[in-house]
Amino acid sequence: MKLLVAGATGLVGQGVVLACLESPRVQRVTALVRRPGSRPGQQVAELLLADFRQAAGSVDLFSGFDACLYCAGAPPVGTREAEYRAVTFDATLAVASAFAQACPQGRFLYVSGAHADPQSRIMPLRVKGQAEQALARLPIRTVMLRPGGVQPVAGTGTVHSWMKPLYGVGAPVLGLIARMAPSIATSNLALGRAMVALADMPQPPGVVECAQINRLGDADGP
C-alpha cells in the first residue's frame, strides 16, 4: 500500500509512522506536512500543504494513494473552541474531501476519540462527533477510530512542551491500563498497526472502538 499520514509528527502520528514502516504491507509512506523539513525520518516522503483547510485547491497532490491515515488535531485541553473546530473539523473535512476526489477507491481513516458524539455537552467530544458525521457522508469509504488514552511507545512523545511532564508521569500508567483494560487505553504503535490493518481490509467497519484497536494492533491485522 501507498499511505498518506496527516499529523505524522504528533504523538499519535509518530506511532502510526512506526507501524507503517515496520509493515510489509506498506510500500511507501508519505507525510502531509505544513512546513518543509517536518517529515519524521528519511524513510518518509513529504507532501507540503501549508494550510490543510485549503486542500480543495490542491486535489492533484492527493492522487496515487491507497489510504489516508488522518492523525492531525488540536489538544482537547487548553484549546479554545473556535481553534479546536478549525483544526479538528474544518481542516479534517477539507483534506478528506480532496482525498476523496483524488482517490475515490481509497480509504480515509480518522483518529477520533472515545465517546465522540455530535450532541455531547463536552466540546471536544461534540466537535469530533460532528467531524465523524461529516466524514461518513463523503463518497469514499471512511473508518473512525476511537481510542481512549494513548500511551506513547519508546522513542515517541508529545510535541507540546506543557504536556510532556504529564506524559512522563502518565505513560507507564496508560501502558498498564492498556494491558488490563484494553477498552480504555491503547498505545500509539498499536493504533498505527490497527490503521494499517484496516487500510488493507476488504470491508473495514465504519467505527472501531478502543478494544478492537488493541485486538488489531496486537496482531497487526486479522
Side-chain angles (χ1 to χ4, degrees):
M1 294 183 291
K2 298 174 183 177
L3 302 181
L4 178 66
V5 181
T9 59
L11 184 148
V12 170
Q14 291 170 49
V16 172
V17 169
L18 286 177
C20 291
L21 294 177
E22 76 175 15
S23 175
R25 309 178 190 192
V26 179
Q27 176 185 352
R28 188 180 78 214
V29 186
T30 301
L32 180 66
V33 299
R34 296 180 177 88
R35 294 176 298 278
S38 301
R39 64 185 178 187
Q42 295 302 312
Q43 293 173 279
V44 180
E46 189 174 82
L47 185 63
L48 181 63
L49 182 63
D51 186 347
F52 287 8
R53 291 172 297 177
Q54 303 302 317
S58 304
V59 171
D60 290 346
L61 287 177
F62 296 95
S63 62
F65 293 100
D66 297 294
C68 177
L69 314 185
Y70 199 92
C71 315
V77 178
T79 305
R80 294 181 180 275
E81 182 168 357
E83 180 185 352
Y84 192 83
R85 180 172 293 277
V87 174
T88 304
F89 186 94
D90 298 342
T92 304
L93 265 293
V95 171
S97 298
F99 185 82
Q101 187 175 342
C103 305
Q105 303 305 314
R107 310 278 177 81
F108 190 89
L109 290 86
Y110 173 57
V111 178
S112 180
H115 310 297
D117 179 353
Q119 303 302 322
S120 178
R121 295 182 180 182
I122 302 172
M123 183 274 290
L125 302 183
R126 181 173 65 253
V127 174
K128 288 214 167 191
Q130 291 167 354
E132 287 188 2
Q133 275 191 334
L135 290 170
R137 290 194 289 265
L138 293 176
I140 189 174
R141 185 176 290 278
T142 56
V143 180
M144 320 301 169
L145 292 96
R146 295 177 176 172
V150 179
Q151 175 206 21
V153 298
T156 69
T158 180
V159 296
H160 302 285
S161 58
W162 66 271
M163 295 180 70
K164 289 181 180 180
L166 298 177
Y167 276 104
V169 173
V173 177
L174 284 172
L176 179 62
I177 293 173
R179 291 190 295 273
M180 301 295 292
S183 63
I184 298 176
T186 187
S187 72
N188 56 357
L189 180 59
L191 181 53
R193 289 172 174 168
M195 295 184 89
V196 171
L198 290 161
D200 198 37
M201 197 178 290
Q203 297 292 330
V207 176
V208 182
E209 302 289 353
C210 195
Q212 189 175 3
I213 289 171
N214 280 315
R215 286 195 294 271
L216 291 167
D218 285 346
D220 195 13

